[in-house]
Amino acid sequence: MSEGSLFSTGTKTLTKREILRFLRRPWNTFLPPFITNVLYFSVFGVILGARIQEIDGVPYIQFILPGLVVLGAIGNAFENASFSIFHGRWNEYIRSQNTQGLFNGGAA
């Protein structure tokens, strides 16, 4: 692979491993975030929404829903990324957790 190529072997390998992990365990990937969002929506949306009717003329459910969706998306992004690192440690294919990224030029 040439020095100027867009993706290194490490980046391609990591991408392939992450996609396969995502596809092999769809229930582990989709079900926990779904349950978490339903619980947040039931607590903050339904129970609290019964007491708070409107905020500046907007129904409370419509006010809180975008925030809950973003909360779930950001939480899942961090959970999936960190799980891969810890899973690699548990299965011993990652020896230590380094902060160096994957790029062609070596350590900067």
Side-chain angles (χ1 to χ4, degrees), residues 20-46:
L20 289 175
R21 181 187 65 82
F22 183 79
L23 294 175
R24 272 189 229 140
R25 301 191 179 268
W27 289 110
N28 291 1
T29 305
F30 296 113
L31 192 60
F34 177 75
I35 292 172
T36 303
N37 284 338
V38 167
L39 289 173
Y40 276 131
F41 185 72
S42 64
V43 170
F44 292 111
V46 177

mmCIF file with all atom_site columns, all heavy atoms in Angstrom, residues 20-46:
data_model
loop_
_atom_site.group_PDB
_atom_site.id
_atom_site.type_symbol
_atom_site.label_atom_id
_atom_site.label_alt_id
_atom_site.label_comp_id
_atom_site.label_asym_id
_atom_site.label_entity_id
_atom_site.label_seq_id
_atom_site.pdbx_PDB_ins_code
_atom_site.Cartn_x
_atom_site.Cartn_y
_atom_site.Cartn_z
_atom_site.occupancy
_atom_site.B_iso_or_equiv
_atom_site.pdbx_formal_charge
_atom_site.auth_seq_id
_atom_site.auth_comp_id
_atom_site.auth_asym_id
_atom_site.auth_atom_id
_atom_site.pdbx_PDB_model_num
ATOM 1   N N   . LEU A 1 20 ? -18.738 -5.984  11.178 1.00 0.00 ? 20 LEU A N   1
ATOM 2   C CA  . LEU A 1 20 ? -19.124 -7.372  11.455 1.00 0.00 ? 20 LEU A CA  1
ATOM 3   C C   . LEU A 1 20 ? -19.677 -7.528  12.869 1.00 0.00 ? 20 LEU A C   1
ATOM 4   O O   . LEU A 1 20 ? -20.645 -8.255  13.088 1.00 0.00 ? 20 LEU A O   1
ATOM 5   C CB  . LEU A 1 20 ? -17.927 -8.305  11.241 1.00 0.00 ? 20 LEU A CB  1
ATOM 6   C CG  . LEU A 1 20 ? -17.513 -8.508  9.790  1.00 0.00 ? 20 LEU A CG  1
ATOM 7   C CD1 . LEU A 1 20 ? -16.251 -9.360  9.708  1.00 0.00 ? 20 LEU A CD1 1
ATOM 8   C CD2 . LEU A 1 20 ? -18.646 -9.150  8.994  1.00 0.00 ? 20 LEU A CD2 1
ATOM 9   N N   . ARG A 1 21 ? -19.083 -6.852  13.838 1.00 0.00 ? 21 ARG A N   1
ATOM 10  C CA  . ARG A 1 21 ? -19.595 -6.917  15.214 1.00 0.00 ? 21 ARG A CA  1
ATOM 11  C C   . ARG A 1 21 ? -21.007 -6.342  15.277 1.00 0.00 ? 21 ARG A C   1
ATOM 12  O O   . ARG A 1 21 ? -21.892 -6.895  15.923 1.00 0.00 ? 21 ARG A O   1
ATOM 13  C CB  . ARG A 1 21 ? -18.689 -6.135  16.158 1.00 0.00 ? 21 ARG A CB  1
ATOM 14  C CG  . ARG A 1 21 ? -19.150 -6.191  17.614 1.00 0.00 ? 21 ARG A CG  1
ATOM 15  C CD  . ARG A 1 21 ? -18.341 -5.286  18.493 1.00 0.00 ? 21 ARG A CD  1
ATOM 16  N NE  . ARG A 1 21 ? -18.499 -3.892  18.168 1.00 0.00 ? 21 ARG A NE  1
ATOM 17  C CZ  . ARG A 1 21 ? -19.510 -3.130  18.583 1.00 0.00 ? 21 ARG A CZ  1
ATOM 18  N NH1 . ARG A 1 21 ? -20.455 -3.636  19.324 1.00 0.00 ? 21 ARG A NH1 1
ATOM 19  N NH2 . ARG A 1 21 ? -19.570 -1.863  18.243 1.00 0.00 ? 21 ARG A NH2 1
ATOM 20  N N   . PHE A 1 22 ? -21.228 -5.263  14.570 1.00 0.00 ? 22 PHE A N   1
ATOM 21  C CA  . PHE A 1 22 ? -22.524 -4.612  14.535 1.00 0.00 ? 22 PHE A CA  1
ATOM 22  C C   . PHE A 1 22 ? -23.581 -5.531  13.909 1.00 0.00 ? 22 PHE A C   1
ATOM 23  O O   . PHE A 1 22 ? -24.707 -5.615  14.390 1.00 0.00 ? 22 PHE A O   1
ATOM 24  C CB  . PHE A 1 22 ? -22.404 -3.313  13.741 1.00 0.00 ? 22 PHE A CB  1
ATOM 25  C CG  . PHE A 1 22 ? -23.644 -2.497  13.692 1.00 0.00 ? 22 PHE A CG  1
ATOM 26  C CD1 . PHE A 1 22 ? -23.998 -1.702  14.759 1.00 0.00 ? 22 PHE A CD1 1
ATOM 27  C CD2 . PHE A 1 22 ? -24.455 -2.507  12.569 1.00 0.00 ? 22 PHE A CD2 1
ATOM 28  C CE1 . PHE A 1 22 ? -25.138 -0.926  14.719 1.00 0.00 ? 22 PHE A CE1 1
ATOM 29  C CE2 . PHE A 1 22 ? -25.597 -1.740  12.522 1.00 0.00 ? 22 PHE A CE2 1
ATOM 30  C CZ  . PHE A 1 22 ? -25.934 -0.949  13.602 1.00 0.00 ? 22 PHE A CZ  1
ATOM 31  N N   . LEU A 1 23 ? -23.204 -6.247  12.847 1.00 0.00 ? 23 LEU A N   1
ATOM 32  C CA  . LEU A 1 23 ? -24.163 -7.100  12.141 1.00 0.00 ? 23 LEU A CA  1
ATOM 33  C C   . LEU A 1 23 ? -24.381 -8.460  12.813 1.00 0.00 ? 23 LEU A C   1
ATOM 34  O O   . LEU A 1 23 ? -25.453 -9.043  12.682 1.00 0.00 ? 23 LEU A O   1
ATOM 35  C CB  . LEU A 1 23 ? -23.700 -7.312  10.695 1.00 0.00 ? 23 LEU A CB  1
ATOM 36  C CG  . LEU A 1 23 ? -23.700 -6.062  9.818  1.00 0.00 ? 23 LEU A CG  1
ATOM 37  C CD1 . LEU A 1 23 ? -23.121 -6.377  8.455  1.00 0.00 ? 23 LEU A CD1 1
ATOM 38  C CD2 . LEU A 1 23 ? -25.096 -5.491  9.695  1.00 0.00 ? 23 LEU A CD2 1
ATOM 39  N N   . ARG A 1 24 ? -23.369 -8.958  13.526 1.00 0.00 ? 24 ARG A N   1
ATOM 40  C CA  . ARG A 1 24 ? -23.496 -10.261 14.171 1.00 0.00 ? 24 ARG A CA  1
ATOM 41  C C   . ARG A 1 24 ? -24.437 -10.244 15.361 1.00 0.00 ? 24 ARG A C   1
ATOM 42  O O   . ARG A 1 24 ? -25.055 -11.246 15.674 1.00 0.00 ? 24 ARG A O   1
ATOM 43  C CB  . ARG A 1 24 ? -22.128 -10.742 14.656 1.00 0.00 ? 24 ARG A CB  1
ATOM 44  C CG  . ARG A 1 24 ? -21.381 -11.494 13.626 1.00 0.00 ? 24 ARG A CG  1
ATOM 45  C CD  . ARG A 1 24 ? -20.157 -12.124 14.249 1.00 0.00 ? 24 ARG A CD  1
ATOM 46  N NE  . ARG A 1 24 ? -19.035 -11.804 13.389 1.00 0.00 ? 24 ARG A NE  1
ATOM 47  C CZ  . ARG A 1 24 ? -17.833 -11.480 13.783 1.00 0.00 ? 24 ARG A CZ  1
ATOM 48  N NH1 . ARG A 1 24 ? -17.547 -11.446 15.056 1.00 0.00 ? 24 ARG A NH1 1
ATOM 49  N NH2 . ARG A 1 24 ? -16.901 -11.214 12.923 1.00 0.00 ? 24 ARG A NH2 1
ATOM 50  N N   . ARG A 1 25 ? -24.514 -9.153  16.051 1.00 0.00 ? 25 ARG A N   1
ATOM 51  C CA  . ARG A 1 25 ? -25.313 -9.068  17.268 1.00 0.00 ? 25 ARG A CA  1
ATOM 52  C C   . ARG A 1 25 ? -26.300 -7.895  17.192 1.00 0.00 ? 25 ARG A C   1
ATOM 53  O O   . ARG A 1 25 ? -26.186 -6.928  17.940 1.00 0.00 ? 25 ARG A O   1
ATOM 54  C CB  . ARG A 1 25 ? -24.408 -8.899  18.472 1.00 0.00 ? 25 ARG A CB  1
ATOM 55  C CG  . ARG A 1 25 ? -23.433 -10.028 18.625 1.00 0.00 ? 25 ARG A CG  1
ATOM 56  C CD  . ARG A 1 25 ? -22.749 -9.951  19.954 1.00 0.00 ? 25 ARG A CD  1
ATOM 57  N NE  . ARG A 1 25 ? -21.831 -11.040 20.128 1.00 0.00 ? 25 ARG A NE  1
ATOM 58  C CZ  . ARG A 1 25 ? -22.136 -12.191 20.685 1.00 0.00 ? 25 ARG A CZ  1
ATOM 59  N NH1 . ARG A 1 25 ? -23.356 -12.405 21.090 1.00 0.00 ? 25 ARG A NH1 1
ATOM 60  N NH2 . ARG A 1 25 ? -21.236 -13.126 20.832 1.00 0.00 ? 25 ARG A NH2 1
ATOM 61  N N   . PRO A 1 26 ? -27.305 -8.020  16.331 1.00 0.00 ? 26 PRO A N   1
ATOM 62  C CA  . PRO A 1 26 ? -28.228 -6.886  16.191 1.00 0.00 ? 26 PRO A CA  1
ATOM 63  C C   . PRO A 1 26 ? -29.054 -6.635  17.455 1.00 0.00 ? 26 PRO A C   1
ATOM 64  O O   . PRO A 1 26 ? -29.380 -5.490  17.756 1.00 0.00 ? 26 PRO A O   1
ATOM 65  C CB  . PRO A 1 26 ? -29.117 -7.283  15.015 1.00 0.00 ? 26 PRO A CB  1
ATOM 66  C CG  . PRO A 1 26 ? -29.001 -8.757  14.922 1.00 0.00 ? 26 PRO A CG  1
ATOM 67  C CD  . PRO A 1 26 ? -27.636 -9.105  15.416 1.00 0.00 ? 26 PRO A CD  1
ATOM 68  N N   . TRP A 1 27 ? -29.369 -7.690  18.219 1.00 0.00 ? 27 TRP A N   1
ATOM 69  C CA  . TRP A 1 27 ? -30.157 -7.474  19.433 1.00 0.00 ? 27 TRP A CA  1
ATOM 70  C C   . TRP A 1 27 ? -29.341 -6.731  20.484 1.00 0.00 ? 27 TRP A C   1
ATOM 71  O O   . TRP A 1 27 ? -29.881 -5.946  21.252 1.00 0.00 ? 27 TRP A O   1
ATOM 72  C CB  . TRP A 1 27 ? -30.674 -8.792  20.000 1.00 0.00 ? 27 TRP A CB  1
ATOM 73  C CG  . TRP A 1 27 ? -31.747 -9.376  19.131 1.00 0.00 ? 27 TRP A CG  1
ATOM 74  C CD1 . TRP A 1 27 ? -31.649 -10.490 18.352 1.00 0.00 ? 27 TRP A CD1 1
ATOM 75  C CD2 . TRP A 1 27 ? -33.059 -8.856  18.915 1.00 0.00 ? 27 TRP A CD2 1
ATOM 76  N NE1 . TRP A 1 27 ? -32.820 -10.684 17.670 1.00 0.00 ? 27 TRP A NE1 1
ATOM 77  C CE2 . TRP A 1 27 ? -33.704 -9.701  17.998 1.00 0.00 ? 27 TRP A CE2 1
ATOM 78  C CE3 . TRP A 1 27 ? -33.746 -7.756  19.406 1.00 0.00 ? 27 TRP A CE3 1
ATOM 79  C CZ2 . TRP A 1 27 ? -35.001 -9.482  17.576 1.00 0.00 ? 27 TRP A CZ2 1
ATOM 80  C CZ3 . TRP A 1 27 ? -35.042 -7.541  18.979 1.00 0.00 ? 27 TRP A CZ3 1
ATOM 81  C CH2 . TRP A 1 27 ? -35.654 -8.400  18.073 1.00 0.00 ? 27 TRP A CH2 1
ATOM 82  N N   . ASN A 1 28 ? -28.048 -6.996  20.543 1.00 0.00 ? 28 ASN A N   1
ATOM 83  C CA  . ASN A 1 28 ? -27.197 -6.267  21.488 1.00 0.00 ? 28 ASN A CA  1
ATOM 84  C C   . ASN A 1 28 ? -26.961 -4.839  21.047 1.00 0.00 ? 28 ASN A C   1
ATOM 85  O O   . ASN A 1 28 ? -26.625 -3.992  21.861 1.00 0.00 ? 28 ASN A O   1
ATOM 86  C CB  . ASN A 1 28 ? -25.843 -6.962  21.636 1.00 0.00 ? 28 ASN A CB  1
ATOM 87  C CG  . ASN A 1 28 ? -25.948 -8.284  22.331 1.00 0.00 ? 28 ASN A CG  1
ATOM 88  O OD1 . ASN A 1 28 ? -27.033 -8.715  22.688 1.00 0.00 ? 28 ASN A OD1 1
ATOM 89  N ND2 . ASN A 1 28 ? -24.830 -8.948  22.518 1.00 0.00 ? 28 ASN A ND2 1
ATOM 90  N N   . THR A 1 29 ? -27.115 -4.580  19.765 1.00 0.00 ? 29 THR A N   1
ATOM 91  C CA  . THR A 1 29 ? -26.868 -3.236  19.246 1.00 0.00 ? 29 THR A CA  1
ATOM 92  C C   . THR A 1 29 ? -28.125 -2.372  19.301 1.00 0.00 ? 29 THR A C   1
ATOM 93  O O   . THR A 1 29 ? -28.051 -1.194  19.621 1.00 0.00 ? 29 THR A O   1
ATOM 94  C CB  . THR A 1 29 ? -26.370 -3.323  17.794 1.00 0.00 ? 29 THR A CB  1
ATOM 95  O OG1 . THR A 1 29 ? -25.234 -4.178  17.766 1.00 0.00 ? 29 THR A OG1 1
ATOM 96  C CG2 . THR A 1 29 ? -25.975 -1.971  17.263 1.00 0.00 ? 29 THR A CG2 1
ATOM 97  N N   . PHE A 1 30 ? -29.275 -2.950  19.007 1.00 0.00 ? 30 PHE A N   1
ATOM 98  C CA  . PHE A 1 30 ? -30.496 -2.158  18.887 1.00 0.00 ? 30 PHE A CA  1
ATOM 99  C C   . PHE A 1 30 ? -31.417 -2.216  20.099 1.00 0.00 ? 30 PHE A C   1
ATOM 100 O O   . PHE A 1 30 ? -32.063 -1.230  20.424 1.00 0.00 ? 30 PHE A O   1
ATOM 101 C CB  . PHE A 1 30 ? -31.296 -2.587  17.650 1.00 0.00 ? 30 PHE A CB  1
ATOM 102 C CG  . PHE A 1 30 ? -30.584 -2.339  16.374 1.00 0.00 ? 30 PHE A CG  1
ATOM 103 C CD1 . PHE A 1 30 ? -30.164 -3.390  15.582 1.00 0.00 ? 30 PHE A CD1 1
ATOM 104 C CD2 . PHE A 1 30 ? -30.323 -1.047  15.957 1.00 0.00 ? 30 PHE A CD2 1
ATOM 105 C CE1 . PHE A 1 30 ? -29.496 -3.161  14.401 1.00 0.00 ? 30 PHE A CE1 1
ATOM 106 C CE2 . PHE A 1 30 ? -29.650 -0.808  14.776 1.00 0.00 ? 30 PHE A CE2 1
ATOM 107 C CZ  . PHE A 1 30 ? -29.238 -1.869  13.997 1.00 0.00 ? 30 PHE A CZ  1
ATOM 108 N N   . LEU A 1 31 ? -31.503 -3.342  20.774 1.00 0.00 ? 31 LEU A N   1
ATOM 109 C CA  . LEU A 1 31 ? -32.472 -3.497  21.857 1.00 0.00 ? 31 LEU A CA  1
ATOM 110 C C   . LEU A 1 31 ? -32.170 -2.644  23.096 1.00 0.00 ? 31 LEU A C   1
ATOM 111 O O   . LEU A 1 31 ? -33.066 -1.949  23.583 1.00 0.00 ? 31 LEU A O   1
ATOM 112 C CB  . LEU A 1 31 ? -32.601 -4.973  22.234 1.00 0.00 ? 31 LEU A CB  1
ATOM 113 C CG  . LEU A 1 31 ? -33.776 -5.319  23.137 1.00 0.00 ? 31 LEU A CG  1
ATOM 114 C CD1 . LEU A 1 31 ? -35.086 -4.938  22.461 1.00 0.00 ? 31 LEU A CD1 1
ATOM 115 C CD2 . LEU A 1 31 ? -33.762 -6.792  23.463 1.00 0.00 ? 31 LEU A CD2 1
ATOM 116 N N   . PRO A 1 32 ? -30.956 -2.647  23.642 1.00 0.00 ? 32 PRO A N   1
ATOM 117 C CA  . PRO A 1 32 ? -30.720 -1.815  24.837 1.00 0.00 ? 32 PRO A CA  1
ATOM 118 C C   . PRO A 1 32 ? -30.973 -0.315  24.625 1.00 0.00 ? 32 PRO A C   1
ATOM 119 O O   . PRO A 1 32 ? -31.613 0.315   25.472 1.00 0.00 ? 32 PRO A O   1
ATOM 120 C CB  . PRO A 1 32 ? -29.254 -2.089  25.176 1.00 0.00 ? 32 PRO A CB  1
ATOM 121 C CG  . PRO A 1 32 ? -28.980 -3.427  24.607 1.00 0.00 ? 32 PRO A CG  1
ATOM 122 C CD  . PRO A 1 32 ? -29.809 -3.501  23.358 1.00 0.00 ? 32 PRO A CD  1
ATOM 123 N N   . PRO A 1 33 ? -30.526 0.271   23.497 1.00 0.00 ? 33 PRO A N   1
ATOM 124 C CA  . PRO A 1 33 ? -30.861 1.693   23.298 1.00 0.00 ? 33 PRO A CA  1
ATOM 125 C C   . PRO A 1 33 ? -32.359 1.940   23.159 1.00 0.00 ? 33 PRO A C   1
ATOM 126 O O   . PRO A 1 33 ? -32.867 2.952   23.636 1.00 0.00 ? 33 PRO A O   1
ATOM 127 C CB  . PRO A 1 33 ? -30.141 2.072   22.011 1.00 0.00 ? 33 PRO A CB  1
ATOM 128 C CG  . PRO A 1 33 ? -29.139 1.023   21.786 1.00 0.00 ? 33 PRO A CG  1
ATOM 129 C CD  . PRO A 1 33 ? -29.606 -0.196  22.474 1.00 0.00 ? 33 PRO A CD  1
ATOM 130 N N   . PHE A 1 34 ? -33.055 1.004   22.553 1.00 0.00 ? 34 PHE A N   1
ATOM 131 C CA  . PHE A 1 34 ? -34.504 1.147   22.402 1.00 0.00 ? 34 PHE A CA  1
ATOM 132 C C   . PHE A 1 34 ? -35.179 1.141   23.768 1.00 0.00 ? 34 PHE A C   1
ATOM 133 O O   . PHE A 1 34 ? -36.032 1.985   24.064 1.00 0.00 ? 34 PHE A O   1
ATOM 134 C CB  . PHE A 1 34 ? -35.049 0.027   21.511 1.00 0.00 ? 34 PHE A CB  1
ATOM 135 C CG  . PHE A 1 34 ? -36.540 0.067   21.356 1.00 0.00 ? 34 PHE A CG  1
ATOM 136 C CD1 . PHE A 1 34 ? -37.134 1.014   20.540 1.00 0.00 ? 34 PHE A CD1 1
ATOM 137 C CD2 . PHE A 1 34 ? -37.351 -0.830  22.035 1.00 0.00 ? 34 PHE A CD2 1
ATOM 138 C CE1 . PHE A 1 34 ? -38.510 1.068   20.407 1.00 0.00 ? 34 PHE A CE1 1
ATOM 139 C CE2 . PHE A 1 34 ? -38.719 -0.788  21.907 1.00 0.00 ? 34 PHE A CE2 1
ATOM 140 C CZ  . PHE A 1 34 ? -39.306 0.165   21.094 1.00 0.00 ? 34 PHE A CZ  1
ATOM 141 N N   . ILE A 1 35 ? -34.780 0.200   24.622 1.00 0.00 ? 35 ILE A N   1
ATOM 142 C CA  . ILE A 1 35 ? -35.358 0.121   25.962 1.00 0.00 ? 35 ILE A CA  1
ATOM 143 C C   . ILE A 1 35 ? -35.032 1.381   26.764 1.00 0.00 ? 35 ILE A C   1
ATOM 144 O O   . ILE A 1 35 ? -35.893 1.935   27.450 1.00 0.00 ? 35 ILE A O   1
ATOM 145 C CB  . ILE A 1 35 ? -34.866 -1.150  26.684 1.00 0.00 ? 35 ILE A CB  1
ATOM 146 C CG1 . ILE A 1 35 ? -35.451 -2.390  26.004 1.00 0.00 ? 35 ILE A CG1 1
ATOM 147 C CG2 . ILE A 1 35 ? -35.232 -1.124  28.162 1.00 0.00 ? 35 ILE A CG2 1
ATOM 148 C CD1 . ILE A 1 35 ? -34.885 -3.688  26.509 1.00 0.00 ? 35 ILE A CD1 1
ATOM 149 N N   . THR A 1 36 ? -33.796 1.844   26.656 1.00 0.00 ? 36 THR A N   1
ATOM 150 C CA  . THR A 1 36 ? -33.397 3.057   27.374 1.00 0.00 ? 36 THR A CA  1
ATOM 151 C C   . THR A 1 36 ? -34.228 4.255   26.923 1.00 0.00 ? 36 THR A C   1
ATOM 152 O O   . THR A 1 36 ? -34.714 5.028   27.751 1.00 0.00 ? 36 THR A O   1
ATOM 153 C CB  . THR A 1 36 ? -31.903 3.340   27.144 1.00 0.00 ? 36 THR A CB  1
ATOM 154 O OG1 . THR A 1 36 ? -31.155 2.211   27.563 1.00 0.00 ? 36 THR A OG1 1
ATOM 155 C CG2 . THR A 1 36 ? -31.455 4.569   27.895 1.00 0.00 ? 36 THR A CG2 1
ATOM 156 N N   . ASN A 1 37 ? -34.417 4.410   25.624 1.00 0.00 ? 37 ASN A N   1
ATOM 157 C CA  . ASN A 1 37 ? -35.197 5.542   25.121 1.00 0.00 ? 37 ASN A CA  1
ATOM 158 C C   . ASN A 1 37 ? -36.666 5.440   25.526 1.00 0.00 ? 37 ASN A C   1
ATOM 159 O O   . ASN A 1 37 ? -37.295 6.454   25.831 1.00 0.00 ? 37 ASN A O   1
ATOM 160 C CB  . ASN A 1 37 ? -35.072 5.660   23.610 1.00 0.00 ? 37 ASN A CB  1
ATOM 161 C CG  . ASN A 1 37 ? -33.744 6.248   23.201 1.00 0.00 ? 37 ASN A CG  1
ATOM 162 O OD1 . ASN A 1 37 ? -33.101 6.924   23.979 1.00 0.00 ? 37 ASN A OD1 1
ATOM 163 N ND2 . ASN A 1 37 ? -33.334 5.975   21.985 1.00 0.00 ? 37 ASN A ND2 1
ATOM 164 N N   . VAL A 1 38 ? -37.214 4.226   25.547 1.00 0.00 ? 38 VAL A N   1
ATOM 165 C CA  . VAL A 1 38 ? -38.603 4.056   25.989 1.00 0.00 ? 38 VAL A CA  1
ATOM 166 C C   . VAL A 1 38 ? -38.737 4.429   27.460 1.00 0.00 ? 38 VAL A C   1
ATOM 167 O O   . VAL A 1 38 ? -39.702 5.097   27.863 1.00 0.00 ? 38 VAL A O   1
ATOM 168 C CB  . VAL A 1 38 ? -39.087 2.607   25.729 1.00 0.00 ? 38 VAL A CB  1
ATOM 169 C CG1 . VAL A 1 38 ? -40.385 2.318   26.452 1.00 0.00 ? 38 VAL A CG1 1
ATOM 170 C CG2 . VAL A 1 38 ? -39.261 2.369   24.242 1.00 0.00 ? 38 VAL A CG2 1
ATOM 171 N N   . LEU A 1 39 ? -37.768 4.019   28.278 1.00 0.00 ? 39 LEU A N   1
ATOM 172 C CA  . LEU A 1 39 ? -37.815 4.379   29.701 1.00 0.00 ? 39 LEU A CA  1
ATOM 173 C C   . LEU A 1 39 ? -37.686 5.893   29.908 1.00 0.00 ? 39 LEU A C   1
ATOM 174 O O   . LEU A 1 39 ? -38.420 6.479   30.711 1.00 0.00 ? 39 LEU A O   1
ATOM 175 C CB  . LEU A 1 39 ? -36.719 3.637   30.468 1.00 0.00 ? 39 LEU A CB  1
ATOM 176 C CG  . LEU A 1 39 ? -36.938 2.143   30.629 1.00 0.00 ? 39 LEU A CG  1
ATOM 177 C CD1 . LEU A 1 39 ? -35.707 1.502   31.247 1.00 0.00 ? 39 LEU A CD1 1
ATOM 178 C CD2 . LEU A 1 39 ? -38.172 1.871   31.460 1.00 0.00 ? 39 LEU A CD2 1
ATOM 179 N N   . TYR A 1 40 ? -36.746 6.520   29.204 1.00 0.00 ? 40 TYR A N   1
ATOM 180 C CA  . TYR A 1 40 ? -36.610 7.981   29.303 1.00 0.00 ? 40 TYR A CA  1
ATOM 181 C C   . TYR A 1 40 ? -37.900 8.674   28.870 1.00 0.00 ? 40 TYR A C   1
ATOM 182 O O   . TYR A 1 40 ? -38.350 9.615   29.509 1.00 0.00 ? 40 TYR A O   1
ATOM 183 C CB  . TYR A 1 40 ? -35.461 8.498   28.437 1.00 0.00 ? 40 TYR A CB  1
ATOM 184 C CG  . TYR A 1 40 ? -34.107 8.424   29.080 1.00 0.00 ? 40 TYR A CG  1
ATOM 185 C CD1 . TYR A 1 40 ? -33.031 7.877   28.390 1.00 0.00 ? 40 TYR A CD1 1
ATOM 186 C CD2 . TYR A 1 40 ? -33.876 8.915   30.356 1.00 0.00 ? 40 TYR A CD2 1
ATOM 187 C CE1 . TYR A 1 40 ? -31.773 7.814   28.964 1.00 0.00 ? 40 TYR A CE1 1
ATOM 188 C CE2 . TYR A 1 40 ? -32.630 8.857   30.942 1.00 0.00 ? 40 TYR A CE2 1
ATOM 189 C CZ  . TYR A 1 40 ? -31.583 8.311   30.240 1.00 0.00 ? 40 TYR A CZ  1
ATOM 190 O OH  . TYR A 1 40 ? -30.350 8.248   30.800 1.00 0.00 ? 40 TYR A OH  1
ATOM 191 N N   . PHE A 1 41 ? -38.469 8.191   27.772 1.00 0.00 ? 41 PHE A N   1
ATOM 192 C CA  . PHE A 1 41 ? -39.689 8.813   27.260 1.00 0.00 ? 41 PHE A CA  1
ATOM 193 C C   . PHE A 1 41 ? -40.840 8.618   28.242 1.00 0.00 ? 41 PHE A C   1
ATOM 194 O O   . PHE A 1 41 ? -41.630 9.539   28.465 1.00 0.00 ? 41 PHE A O   1
ATOM 195 C CB  . PHE A 1 41 ? -40.050 8.237   25.890 1.00 0.00 ? 41 PHE A CB  1
ATOM 196 C CG  . PHE A 1 41 ? -41.225 8.906   25.258 1.00 0.00 ? 41 PHE A CG  1
ATOM 197 C CD1 . PHE A 1 41 ? -41.111 10.186  24.759 1.00 0.00 ? 41 PHE A CD1 1
ATOM 198 C CD2 . PHE A 1 41 ? -42.446 8.262   25.182 1.00 0.00 ? 41 PHE A CD2 1
ATOM 199 C CE1 . PHE A 1 41 ? -42.204 10.825  24.187 1.00 0.00 ? 41 PHE A CE1 1
ATOM 200 C CE2 . PHE A 1 41 ? -43.531 8.890   24.611 1.00 0.00 ? 41 PHE A CE2 1
ATOM 201 C CZ  . PHE A 1 41 ? -43.412 10.165  24.115 1.00 0.00 ? 41 PHE A CZ  1
ATOM 202 N N   . SER A 1 42 ? -40.922 7.442   28.841 1.00 0.00 ? 42 SER A N   1
ATOM 203 C CA  . SER A 1 42 ? -42.023 7.212   29.779 1.00 0.00 ? 42 SER A CA  1
ATOM 204 C C   . SER A 1 42 ? -41.868 8.058   31.039 1.00 0.00 ? 42 SER A C   1
ATOM 205 O O   . SER A 1 42 ? -42.842 8.593   31.558 1.00 0.00 ? 42 SER A O   1
ATOM 206 C CB  . SER A 1 42 ? -42.139 5.732   30.132 1.00 0.00 ? 42 SER A CB  1
ATOM 207 O OG  . SER A 1 42 ? -40.990 5.301   30.814 1.00 0.00 ? 42 SER A OG  1
ATOM 208 N N   . VAL A 1 43 ? -40.646 8.191   31.533 1.00 0.00 ? 43 VAL A N   1
ATOM 209 C CA  . VAL A 1 43 ? -40.445 8.976   32.750 1.00 0.00 ? 43 VAL A CA  1
ATOM 210 C C   . VAL A 1 43 ? -40.563 10.474  32.466 1.00 0.00 ? 43 VAL A C   1
ATOM 211 O O   . VAL A 1 43 ? -41.362 11.176  33.087 1.00 0.00 ? 43 VAL A O   1
ATOM 212 C CB  . VAL A 1 43 ? -39.074 8.655   33.390 1.00 0.00 ? 43 VAL A CB  1
ATOM 213 C CG1 . VAL A 1 43 ? -38.750 9.634   34.507 1.00 0.00 ? 43 VAL A CG1 1
ATOM 214 C CG2 . VAL A 1 43 ? -39.060 7.236   33.902 1.00 0.00 ? 43 VAL A CG2 1
ATOM 215 N N   . PHE A 1 44 ? -39.756 10.960  31.518 1.00 0.00 ? 44 PHE A N   1
ATOM 216 C CA  . PHE A 1 44 ? -39.729 12.398  31.271 1.00 0.00 ? 44 PHE A CA  1
ATOM 217 C C   . PHE A 1 44 ? -40.884 12.868  30.409 1.00 0.00 ? 44 PHE A C   1
ATOM 218 O O   . PHE A 1 44 ? -41.333 14.003  30.540 1.00 0.00 ? 44 PHE A O   1
ATOM 219 C CB  . PHE A 1 44 ? -38.403 12.811  30.619 1.00 0.00 ? 44 PHE A CB  1
ATOM 220 C CG  . PHE A 1 44 ? -37.235 12.660  31.540 1.00 0.00 ? 44 PHE A CG  1
ATOM 221 C CD1 . PHE A 1 44 ? -36.289 11.686  31.306 1.00 0.00 ? 44 PHE A CD1 1
ATOM 222 C CD2 . PHE A 1 44 ? -37.097 13.468  32.636 1.00 0.00 ? 44 PHE A CD2 1
ATOM 223 C CE1 . PHE A 1 44 ? -35.208 11.539  32.151 1.00 0.00 ? 44 PHE A CE1 1
ATOM 224 C CE2 . PHE A 1 44 ? -36.021 13.335  33.496 1.00 0.00 ? 44 PHE A CE2 1
ATOM 225 C CZ  . PHE A 1 44 ? -35.068 12.362  33.253 1.00 0.00 ? 44 PHE A CZ  1
ATOM 226 N N   . GLY A 1 45 ? -41.345 12.033  29.494 1.00 0.00 ? 45 GLY A N   1
ATOM 227 C CA  . GLY A 1 45 ? -42.404 12.452  28.587 1.00 0.00 ? 45 GLY A CA  1
ATOM 228 C C   . GLY A 1 45 ? -43.786 12.289  29.160 1.00 0.00 ? 45 GLY A C   1
ATOM 229 O O   . GLY A 1 45 ? -44.562 13.238  29.224 1.00 0.00 ? 45 GLY A O   1
ATOM 230 N N   . VAL A 1 46 ? -44.107 11.100  29.618 1.00 0.00 ? 46 VAL A N   1
ATOM 231 C CA  . VAL A 1 46 ? -45.481 10.817  30.037 1.00 0.00 ? 46 VAL A CA  1
ATOM 232 C C   . VAL A 1 46 ? -45.726 11.284  31.470 1.00 0.00 ? 46 VAL A C   1
ATOM 233 O O   . VAL A 1 46 ? -46.661 12.048  31.738 1.00 0.00 ? 46 VAL A O   1
ATOM 234 C CB  . VAL A 1 46 ? -45.792 9.311   29.879 1.00 0.00 ? 46 VAL A CB  1
ATOM 235 C CG1 . VAL A 1 46 ? -47.178 8.997   30.383 1.00 0.00 ? 46 VAL A CG1 1
ATOM 236 C CG2 . VAL A 1 46 ? -45.643 8.896   28.421 1.00 0.00 ? 46 VAL A CG2 1
#
